[in-house]
Amino acid sequence: MTQLHMGVEAPVVVDRRTLVGYDNYAAAQRTVDALSDAGFPVENVAIVGSDLRMEETVTGRMTNGRAALAGAGSGLVFGLVVGAFLGLFTSTTLSFFVLVLWAGLWGALTGAAFGFLNHVFTGGRRDFASRSAIVAGRYDVLVAASHVDHARAVLDGGPHPADTVVVEPPASAGVYDPAAQRPIAPEQRRP
């Protein structure tokens, strides 16, 4: 097992082997959890996502009113925080609450105005609200080469997740050789 020490507490394990691959993260997480429950040293395990893509889920239509409402909500929160901070310097409890509410009101009004104007000035180029996420096409559970046989033995003795698709692991890219600064293909290794 080749390790690089970078001045951090845990060494970086370079030579990892694919234990199993899945098409969803939850299955890979359950596999690591099963290894942990069996007492396997999970500090030698990694979950690696590959075939990354960005998914944008449209949550609804964005109108001037909805943009103003979203801006009002953000402005309200900002105004309440500023008002609470400034309220710390007041002398009475009543003045504290009045200042917080007044700042929240002004924050909501200002946020609504900015949200409305921001949407109007986009000129209809983006009339929808959405959430973005980076997701992987496959999730491989990698184990340090020195522990891969032990991990396979642990998994062979336990239950297998029934709601997942096991993906065949790709061919090895070779062993990492820090001196060569590039991987050595399996057919080029010396006996």
Side-chain angles (χ1 to χ4, degrees), residues 15-74:
D15 190 13
R16 291 186 178 143
R17 304 296 163 101
T18 302
L19 179 64
V20 67
Y22 296 104
D23 64 344
N24 65 69
Y25 178 77
Q29 191 176 14
R30 281 193 301 271
T31 298
V32 175
D33 191 44
L35 289 170
S36 177
D37 291 345
F40 184 82
V42 290
E43 58 273 4
N44 296 299
V45 178
I47 299 174
V48 177
S50 58
D51 300 331
L52 299 178
R53 66 183 186 277
M54 188 197 64
E55 285 185 4
E56 185 173 11
T57 304
V58 177
T59 59
R61 178 170 167 70
M62 182 59 73
T63 62
N64 289 336
R66 194 168 176 190
L69 189 61
S74 299

Side-chain angles (χ1 to χ4, degrees), residues 63-137:
T63 62
N64 289 336
R66 194 168 176 190
L69 189 61
S74 299
L76 174 68
V77 171
F78 180 73
L80 290 174
V81 169
V82 169
F85 176 72
L86 293 175
L88 293 175
F89 302 105
T90 61
S91 58
T92 65
T93 304
L94 179 62
S95 61
F96 172 81
F97 286 113
V98 169
L99 185 61
V100 169
L101 291 175
W102 189 247
L105 174 68
W106 276 106
L109 290 174
T110 308
F114 278 115
F116 177 82
L117 290 174
N118 184 39
H119 187 260
V120 166
F121 286 132
T122 61
R125 285 188 308 268
R126 187 169 169 93
D127 282 342
F128 62 91
S130 64
R131 273 189 323 245
S132 296
I134 302 292
V135 295

Side-chain angles (χ1 to χ4, degrees), residues 17-21 138 140 152 166-172:
R17 304 296 163 101
T18 302
L19 179 64
V20 67
R138 69 179 276 127
D140 293 326
R152 282 195 179 115
V166 176
V167 182
E168 291 299 319
S172 174

